[in-house]
Amino acid sequence: APTPPPQPALAAPPAWGTLLDAASDLLALLDSQGRIVWANASFLRASGHALVDAVGQEAATLLGTPDEAWRALAHKLRLNTGFEPLDLPWRHRTGQARFGRVAARALSEGERLGAACVLLSVQDTTSAWNSYALNRDEQMEKLREASELAKRLAIAVNAAGVGVWSRHPNDERTTWNEQMFHITGRPMHLGGPTRDEWIYQIVHPDDRSAMLQARADISQETMAVEHECRIVRPDGEVRWIVNRARRE
């Protein structure tokens, strides 16, 4: 069947015109083919279109971006079924990309006005999206700086031959940096040792009681401890180390 010709601009009755023009959302009344027959002041101001230019154009073509979501919405508007709110990009008359929450509903028989049978609404969320994007970029920059700082710190620690370890209170196994494996001779594929593996496999037998006491101290109220002890490497070599630990 041939497509019906565009309807002339709809002169909204005073009650409708006052109500719709007072709304901050972009509102448009569409005909059975999804074409604009009337738009409120917010729609015209935010989209950059004059009413005479907007009337007769498909709303999805006027505002939509060339993606699958808008093509699907154009189809729904032609069926006069409406759709639930969706967050989508939309276009200003200049082609500038904007963002909004787009929804539509079919008008009831009592609400229909001339050729208008669908109410389209767009809540302009461009400012919120831009603010989110700015905050996201700032967070990404902070993460990048933190990552770079961590890399520099790791280089400095390795160059100084300092071993670094950490352990969550609820986790038996520790996390080691590369130098801890070099110092102790523990194979890297084994990962960091558990607390008992450290005491009974790495610490010298004569120093184990002192290490157990140090572990008890930092597990209670002491925020930091420092002590010397001997370790025994897998090849039998004995080394002295200074171990500093701090609760965080």
Side-chain angles (χ1 to χ4, degrees):
T3 300
Q7 299 294 319
L10 179 69
W16 275 73
T18 301
L19 179 64
L20 296 182
D21 269 335
S24 59
D25 288 354
L26 288 67
L27 301 175
L29 297 173
L30 313 181
D31 67 11
S32 60
Q33 297 300 310
R35 297 174 300 206
I36 297 171
V37 296
W38 190 86
N40 71 345
S42 293
F43 184 102
L44 302 175
R45 183 171 52 252
S47 68
H49 291 281
L51 183 60
V52 66
D53 298 323
V55 167
Q57 294 199 53
E58 283 196 48
T61 302
L62 192 72
L63 297 178
T65 56
D67 58 30
E68 187 62 34
W70 274 102
R71 286 194 289 271
L73 294 189
H75 179 68
K76 289 183 178 181
L77 291 176
R78 295 188 198 101
L79 295 176
N80 309 319
T81 57
F83 50 85
E84 294 298 314
L86 297 170
D87 292 311
L88 293 171
W90 59 279
R91 287 183 305 153
H92 185 269
R93 179 178 60 84
T94 60
Q96 179 189 32
R98 301 185 68 82
F99 297 91
R101 174 154 288 194
V102 185
R105 73 173 180 86
L107 299 178
S108 67
E109 288 295 333
E111 293 174 322
R112 292 194 175 190
L113 201 60
C117 57
V118 173
L119 173 64
L120 174 72
S121 68
V122 180
Q123 181 184 15
D124 190 356
T125 59
T126 304
S127 296
W129 273 95
N130 288 342
S131 177
Y132 166 78
L134 180 61
N135 290 337
R136 181 192 59 190
D137 291 344
E138 290 176 352
Q139 291 298 321
M140 291 297 293
E141 179 62 20
K142 289 179 180 178
L143 288 174
R144 187 193 65 79
E145 291 176 355
S147 177
E148 288 297 322
L149 181 60
K151 289 178 182 178
R152 294 194 202 101
L153 180 60
I155 292 172
V157 166
N158 286 333
V162 177
V164 178
W165 62 271
S166 64
R167 183 183 62 80
H168 190 278
N170 297 327
D171 192 354
E172 281 294 313
R173 190 167 295 279
T174 56
T175 299
W176 279 8
N177 74 338
E178 187 176 344
Q179 283 300 316
M180 284 296 295
F181 292 97
H182 290 323
I183 292 169
T184 62
R186 180 180 174 86
M188 292 188 68
H189 72 270
L190 295 179
T194 64
R195 293 193 295 177
D196 285 346
E197 286 175 341
W198 170 255
I199 296 292
Y200 297 107
Q201 295 182 15
I202 300 175
V203 172
H204 192 283
D206 294 343
D207 293 340
R208 287 172 185 167
S209 60
M211 286 296 296
L212 287 170
Q213 183 59 51
R215 187 171 75 181
D217 289 342
I218 199 168
S219 297
Q220 296 175 8
E221 297 181 357
T222 305
M223 292 300 297
V225 295
E226 177 177 330
H227 53 264
E228 294 183 357
C229 71
R230 288 163 291 181
I231 61 170
V232 182
R233 290 165 54 88
D235 59 5
E237 179 188 359
V238 176
R239 289 188 179 182
W240 280 92
I241 64 170
V242 177
N243 192 18
R244 297 182 180 91
R246 182 184 57 151
R247 290 175 57 193
E248 294 185 346

